[in-house]
Amino acid sequence: MPGLFKIMQTLLLLGLFIDKLTLASETHKHKGCFSAEELEDGALKILRRNRYLKDGHIDETQYHKLGTKKTCPAVLHSQSVDYNNRSVSPWRYSIDSKEGRFPEKIVVAECLCTGCIIVKGHGHHGAEYEDYGYNSVPVVQSQMVLMKTDCTTDPGKYSFSSHYIKVPIACTCVKARTY
């Protein structure tokens, strides 16, 4: 029986390897032709099939416009339930919009500070300040998006090409590089 186990293990690993190759070949692959009316439904089906679509609608009133002025807070909000407000590398959420991309709107994190908020002391006697010996840097996650393209086989219809983009989802504090 040890030989059978080894064969099954090899087949499982081969299946995982082929699955990874299939995922890698998905990048830039065109995804059929759709009329303008079918376009959004087609994109949603493809994204759901690839498990890259989060459920729910983005309420834009809760987010900042990407690129608007941001300021590093002088004091951390230690009573907040949100990690982004209590972090020594605080961030806010903004919406990145791009026409012709599915999903068109993606929520992204923007670091509020260049350095990190350092807390010296405890309680009410503690002092907080931004220390530039540390850097606030984004934590990124790879996400598949679809880009609208003209269908080459059926003029007047559209297709998709898939791309992987790095989406900032939070910020963390790291020691500054020294050269």
Side-chain angles (χ1 to χ4, degrees), residues 36-168:
E37 299 80 33
E38 300 169 322
L39 199 58
E40 190 168 343
D41 285 342
L44 291 174
K45 284 178 186 172
I46 293 166
L47 290 170
R48 278 192 193 112
R49 188 175 340 133
N50 287 283
R51 296 182 213 102
Y52 282 96
L53 187 66
K54 294 185 175 25
D55 292 330
H57 175 72
I58 295 175
D59 179 7
E60 292 187 53
T61 61
Q62 296 184 16
Y63 301 101
H64 300 274
K65 294 221 182 292
L66 196 58
T68 58
K69 187 174 180 352
K70 55 187 179 189
T71 56
C72 183
V75 177
L76 298 176
H77 303 285
S78 60
Q79 301 301 313
S80 176
V81 295
D82 299 321
Y83 294 138
N84 61 312
N85 293 322
R86 293 192 330 240
S87 174
V88 295
S89 180
W91 69 90
R92 71 177 184 187
Y93 291 107
S94 299
I95 299 205
D96 177 35
S97 296
K98 188 171 189 177
E99 196 172 323
R101 178 183 69 194
F102 293 92
E104 184 175 322
K105 296 176 182 172
I106 298 174
V107 176
V108 297
E110 289 184 286
C111 300
L112 296 176
C113 304
T114 303
C116 296
I117 306 295
I118 302 300
V119 180
K120 292 278 187 182
H122 299 288
H124 296 293
H125 302 291
E128 297 178 4
Y129 62 95
E130 186 175 4
D131 187 335
Y132 297 102
Y134 299 90
N135 297 134
S136 289
V137 296
V139 176
V140 296
Q141 178 179 7
S142 185
Q143 179 178 344
M144 185 177 83
V145 296
L146 302 175
M147 298 302 294
K148 175 181 159 183
T149 60
D150 290 328
C151 187
T152 55
T153 59
D154 194 349
K157 289 194 174 186
Y158 302 95
S159 186
F160 300 107
S161 58
S162 58
H163 302 268
Y164 288 88
I165 61 172
K166 293 185 188 278
V167 178

Side-chain angles (χ1 to χ4, degrees), residues 4 6 8 15 37 95 127:
L4 180 60
K6 194 68 168 170
M8 290 177 66
E37 299 80 33
I95 299 205

